[in-house]
Amino acid sequence: LDLSIAVVRLFRTASNIPALRDYLRNSHISETVTQILIKNEEDLHSPLARDVAIEQTWPGRLLEILLRCLTGLKPLRRSSKVAMRVACRMADILEGWADFLAKDPAGRSLQEIADAEARMWNEDEMQRNLGYLGNEEKEDRRLQTEFFVSASGTHAVLEFYSPSTDDKDGFLKDDLKHAAEKVMSIVSHARKRTAQLEKEIADEKLRISAPEVTLEDSEQPEHREQPGRAVLMSASLRCDDTVEDESNKLFVKRPPIFDWNESIFSDKSGEVNPVFGVAATLRMLHALVVLPPSEICCQETLMELRRPEAVQRLLLHLNRLPCLSCNIAAKFLRLMSLVLQVKANDMPNSATSLELFHILSLYVTGLSEAMLANIRISKDRIMDVREQTLCVEIARFMKTLILAVPYHRHSEVKQVQRECVTLCLDWLVAPVTIRLLIAMIIYDVQMDTGAGSGRDINSRFVQQSYGKFGMKEHASVFIAQFMVHCPQQKYDILEVFSVSDVFMKMAVRPSFLREILNEVNLGCYMQFVESFLAASVDRNSTSDYERGLIFCVVDTEASPASGGKKGSLATHLLFMTSDRFYLLAPSDQSPPYAGTHAVGTWDPSWELAWPREPGVIWKRDYDNVSTVATAVSWPLCPGSPGGARSSASTAVPRATPASTG
């Protein structure tokens, strides 16, 4: 053992000298590294003995050697500490970790590796560590990453850590079958509704062209048998058939699913906790998506992770491990949020599948049930950092889902398309998940006021505030977009906020609710503007489907060349789509149904019932624009490729934009 450790020290010393690195990579040394890792250390040494970290040297940066240790004729044992170190080393190489950052010249210890693997990802820190690599190390990382992707390293690692159970092939098959049947039913609904609307349009044309016929009194249509007041009273007196037992319990315990264990060894026999191998696997995939050396590596990784079979393998690991250990549930949701994110240039139906969203929504539903019970006991207690991190990632994933699902095209008819989107969201989003996201918003607002921290605001409160950053923001976007696409559930969602204020004494700021309702109204009007531009504007677009991305209210300062008074402001709409962006002018008059109080600048609520067509001031392709800059209390200026500002107007953002992707 002492001789092996001395060899490792020699190799690490030589690895720090660039002139000697070429001599450390040959077939003989590769065989030596494999022999030390597999035969000598795993077979001959005790698991509790000192580590022979030969993989933390320059020869150990060869992913070909490390993959051979996992997939060769005699692979490492899945539960050995050597396999854990090899998996973590592979993640370090793909992530761009510089070896000289280790505190000890002999390399990082097993405890340091475990502590680093347990932390949640920090993409800013990852990008900063990547800058510590020299030119030779950067080039070597590119070569190793390309080899890993070309050798199907993702599939090999998932296979190595796949549980050896009989239900591996049959896992989630019923869920996939149910998802396929549901998708087919939505497609069938789209076809039927499209045919029905076409028939109604044809009948309407015949009715308009036909002569008017006066009906007798007996042929007049009857009024509804049940007046509106009776419908309202019956809805107000409705009671649920079932009562949620968990909400009536006097004492609520912390759900056992949130018990976590980050000990390196599971028992005294030296079996390593399997959570570290799964965490290292997720970090490999995250590095390939976030920090790829080339676009090809990123695209091939995305294609692999968008296959339901690959997600199924990951869920096999996650369902057998505590979700808070090493933040594996939060890391998995962060990874899938990046994988399923729809970009502006993606073609419809090309990015993701609804079957994949169904599998993931089932996993999120299981987490939501436990997390909602956990939030119930956090009124006088601040959640743990791991719990807050999981809440943030659940909200992030649901935001990704709500922005990606409307991008799947089911029909060319706008009305049918919106009906199908509503059906998809009703299917994919469970009620318990909606309640959890609302509870996250209420929890975040209460924590901002110091609830659960006693009388003093201490350093722990500040650290907890940073830990929950993004929880309210992502959840608010989801709630607003969900009310846009599922308006029938709008008042049920708003009622939950009222219940928390009246019965639970947890008030939500009126300004915050006003902001959410404003985003809902702006999102509804954006759908109308999309249809208006598609029908009335000669786009000459490069794609058949122009998708709205950002829609916000801006105050523009007209220049004298445009005929406006110098220094005057006018309310306009900035609409950025997948093809170009527009500056629109909403109607400057209040709607006829508005009261006397509705006087002033334009408000998106004016267009909620009967939307009016905006005027198109100008439209520009992205090729003719270099930058779009925005800052608080500063103009938003679309600049030309030459760097000059637009002579038409200067826009100052006045409202939160409604974003769909």
Side-chain angles (χ1 to χ4, degrees):
L1 181 60
D2 294 335
L3 179 59
S4 299
I5 294 177
V7 172
V8 172
R9 289 180 178 272
L10 175 63
F11 274 40
R12 282 190 60 84
T13 303
S15 299
N16 295 328
I17 304 175
L20 299 179
R21 289 175 178 174
D22 293 338
Y23 300 99
L24 295 176
R25 287 188 176 177
N26 53 58
S27 59
H28 177 68
I29 293 182
S30 299
E31 292 295 334
T32 303
V33 171
T34 306
Q35 183 178 6
I36 292 177
L37 284 175
I38 296 181
K39 293 183 179 180
N40 293 352
E41 185 172 9
E42 186 180 64
D43 297 342
L44 303 179
H45 296 166
S46 169
L48 302 180
R50 290 178 295 172
D51 298 323
V52 186
I54 188 67
E55 74 279 355
Q56 297 184 30
T57 61
W58 185 255
R61 293 183 65 91
L62 282 174
L63 289 180
E64 180 181 0
I65 298 177
L66 300 181
L67 273 177
R68 192 187 309 159
C69 296
L70 303 182
T71 61
L73 298 177
K74 186 183 177 183
L76 295 169
R77 288 186 292 107
R78 188 185 305 119
S79 58
S80 67
K81 71 170 185 178
V82 182
M84 168 189 165
R85 293 205 326 260
V86 168
C88 295
R89 177 60 171 173
M90 293 172 65
D92 290 340
I93 296 171
L94 296 175
E95 195 178 79
W97 170 267
D99 291 337
F100 75 88
L101 294 177
K103 299 178 181 179
D104 191 348
R108 293 193 297 172
S109 64
L110 189 63
Q111 187 62 52
E112 291 176 343
I113 295 174
D115 294 340
E117 207 63 61
R119 291 193 295 267
M120 186 59 190
W121 299 325
N122 188 338
E123 296 178 2
D124 294 335
E125 183 180 355
M126 293 167 55
Q127 190 69 38
R128 185 167 56 253
N129 291 337
L130 194 62
Y132 293 142
L133 295 178
N135 294 333
E136 185 179 5
E137 293 171 321
K138 288 182 179 180
E139 179 64 19
D140 183 70
R141 174 181 177 266
R142 183 187 67 82
L143 296 175
Q144 300 306 318
T145 304
E146 292 178 353
F147 169 80
F148 184 83
V149 174
S150 62
S152 301
T154 301
H155 179 77
V157 174
L158 291 177
E159 273 291 332
F160 177 76
Y161 281 105
S162 294
S164 56
T165 55
D166 297 335
D167 61 339
K168 182 173 68 174
D169 295 334
F171 184 70
L172 294 180
K173 278 192 175 181
D174 294 338
D175 296 333
L176 288 174
K177 181 180 179 181
H178 171 71
E181 293 175 353
K182 186 65 178 180
V183 172
M184 291 302 298
S185 65
I186 294 175
V187 172
S188 177
H189 171 80
R191 294 173 180 173
K192 291 180 181 179
R193 284 290 295 150
T194 302
Q196 181 181 356
L197 288 178
E198 292 176 353
K199 185 176 182 302
E200 291 178 357
I201 294 174
D203 294 342
E204 182 68 17
K205 292 181 179 179
L206 292 176
R207 188 188 64 79
I208 294 175
S209 60
E212 183 178 357
V213 178
T214 304
L215 300 176
E216 300 294 335
D217 294 338
S218 59
E219 298 179 357
Q220 293 292 337
E222 298 180 357
H223 294 286
R224 295 181 178 178
E225 298 179 359
Q226 194 174 16
R229 184 175 181 275
V231 175
L232 179 62
M233 293 302 295
S234 61
S236 62
L237 297 177
R238 183 186 61 189
C239 297
D240 294 333
D241 297 334
T242 59
V243 179
E244 194 173 355
D245 296 334
E246 292 291 334
S247 60
N248 294 329
K249 287 185 178 180
L250 182 61
F251 300 102
V252 182
K253 295 182 180 180
R254 192 169 183 263
I257 192 177
F258 294 143
D259 296 336
W260 54 277
N261 178 21
E262 293 179 356
S263 302
I264 297 179
F265 297 103
S266 302
D267 49 32
K268 296 182 180 180
S269 63
E271 298 289 330
V272 173
N273 193 341
V275 71
F276 292 104
V278 177
T281 302
L282 293 174
R283 188 156 63 96
M284 294 180 206
L285 302 175
H286 180 256
L288 291 173
V289 174
V290 177
L291 300 174
S294 62
E295 187 65 23
I296 298 178
C297 295
C298 179
Q299 293 299 326
E300 292 189 7
T301 305
L302 291 177
M303 290 177 58
E304 175 66 22
L305 293 179
R306 284 170 179 170
R307 294 173 53 248
E309 294 79 10
V311 178
Q312 172 182 337
R313 294 180 184 275
L314 290 173
L315 289 176
L316 275 169
H317 309 311
L318 298 175
N319 290 332
R320 290 167 168 80
L321 298 172
C323 62
L324 294 184
S325 297
C326 294
N327 295 294
I328 56 170
K331 292 176 179 179
F332 172 72
L333 292 177
R334 170 78 69 86
L335 175 64
M336 298 314 299
S337 299
L338 295 171
V339 170
L340 301 178
Q341 186 178 12
V342 179
K343 299 181 180 179
N345 55 355
D346 286 340
M347 296 299 294
N349 298 336
S350 64
T352 58
S353 63
L354 294 177
E355 292 87 350
L356 186 56
F357 275 119
H358 173 65
I359 296 174
L360 295 172
S361 64
L362 293 178
Y363 178 71
V364 172
T365 301
L367 294 176
S368 301
E369 293 175 352
M371 185 59 71
L372 187 60
N374 188 51
I375 290 183
R376 288 197 183 103
I377 63 176
S378 62
K379 182 177 180 181
D380 300 325
R381 178 187 71 87
I382 299 179
M383 288 193 296
D384 184 73
V385 176
R386 293 175 178 81
E387 298 169 354
Q388 290 188 355
T389 303
L390 180 57
C391 286
V392 172
E393 298 309 324
I394 290 176
R396 188 195 306 271
F397 173 78
M398 296 308 299
K399 172 186 172 182
T400 303
L401 184 147
I402 200 71
L403 297 179
V405 168
Y407 199 43
H408 288 76
R409 297 185 69 181
H410 304 280
S411 175
E412 299 294 334
V413 182
K414 289 289 185 179
Q415 180 179 350
V416 178
Q417 171 67 15
R418 291 168 186 168
E419 291 179 3
C420 293
V421 170
T422 301
L423 291 176
C424 290
L425 293 177
D426 287 337
W427 164 48
L428 295 175
V429 182
V432 66
T433 305
I434 301 176
R435 294 200 299 268
L436 173 63
L437 293 171
I438 298 175
M440 289 181 191
I441 296 174
I442 298 174
Y443 170 83
D444 197 313
V445 172
Q446 300 305 309
M447 290 300 105
D448 287 343
T449 59
S453 300
R455 297 178 180 272
D456 300 328
I457 303 299
N458 50 27
S459 59
R460 181 173 178 268
F461 171 78
V462 178
Q463 294 175 357
Q464 295 287 347
S465 299
Y466 281 108
K468 65 181 179 59
F469 179 75
M471 182 189 305
K472 179 178 64 178
E473 290 75 12
H474 297 317
S476 300
V477 172
F478 172 84
I479 293 298
Q481 291 297 320
F482 189 79
M483 287 191 288
V484 169
H485 297 291
C486 301
Q488 72 278 6
Q489 301 193 32
K490 176 179 179 180
Y491 294 102
D492 293 335
I493 293 175
L494 296 177
E495 184 183 5
V496 178
F497 289 101
S498 301
V499 169
S500 66
D501 188 6
V502 175
F503 296 101
M504 305 180 67
K505 305 301 180 182
M506 293 189 295
V508 180
R509 297 189 304 271
S511 60
F512 177 75
L513 292 178
R514 170 63 182 171
E515 182 180 352
I516 289 183
L517 292 176
N518 188 70
E519 291 181 6
V520 173
N521 298 334
L522 203 60
C524 294
Y525 189 52
M526 186 183 72
Q527 292 182 343
F528 172 79
V529 173
E530 278 184 348
S531 303
F532 164 72
L533 293 177
S536 60
V537 178
D538 183 17
R539 297 182 290 112
N540 293 326
S541 175
T542 57
S543 62
D544 297 332
Y545 183 63
E546 187 174 14
R547 169 172 164 258
L549 302 176
I550 297 177
F551 190 60
C552 61
V553 183
V554 295
D555 291 330
T556 60
E557 180 182 0
S559 63
S562 61
K565 184 178 179 181
K566 184 177 181 180
S568 62
L569 295 177
T571 301
H572 288 147
L573 300 172
L574 188 67
F575 188 29
M576 303 181 68
T577 68
S578 55
D579 291 347
R580 58 182 58 138
F581 67 94
Y582 305 82
L583 186 65
L584 308 175
S587 178
D588 56 353
Q589 298 180 355
S590 59
Y593 51 84
T596 55
H597 64 280
V599 179
T601 58
W602 178 85
D603 191 88
S605 61
W606 293 0
E607 317 298 336
L608 190 60
W610 291 280
R612 295 167 293 181
E613 297 179 352
V616 180
I617 298 179
W618 50 255
K619 57 180 179 178
R620 295 187 180 179
D621 295 329
Y622 290 112
D623 295 338
N624 299 326
V625 177
S626 60
T627 57
V628 177
T630 178
V632 178
S633 302
W634 286 84
L636 185 149
C637 307
S640 62
R645 288 185 177 182
S646 167
S647 60
S649 61
T650 300
V652 181
R654 183 167 58 86
T656 303
S659 174
T660 62

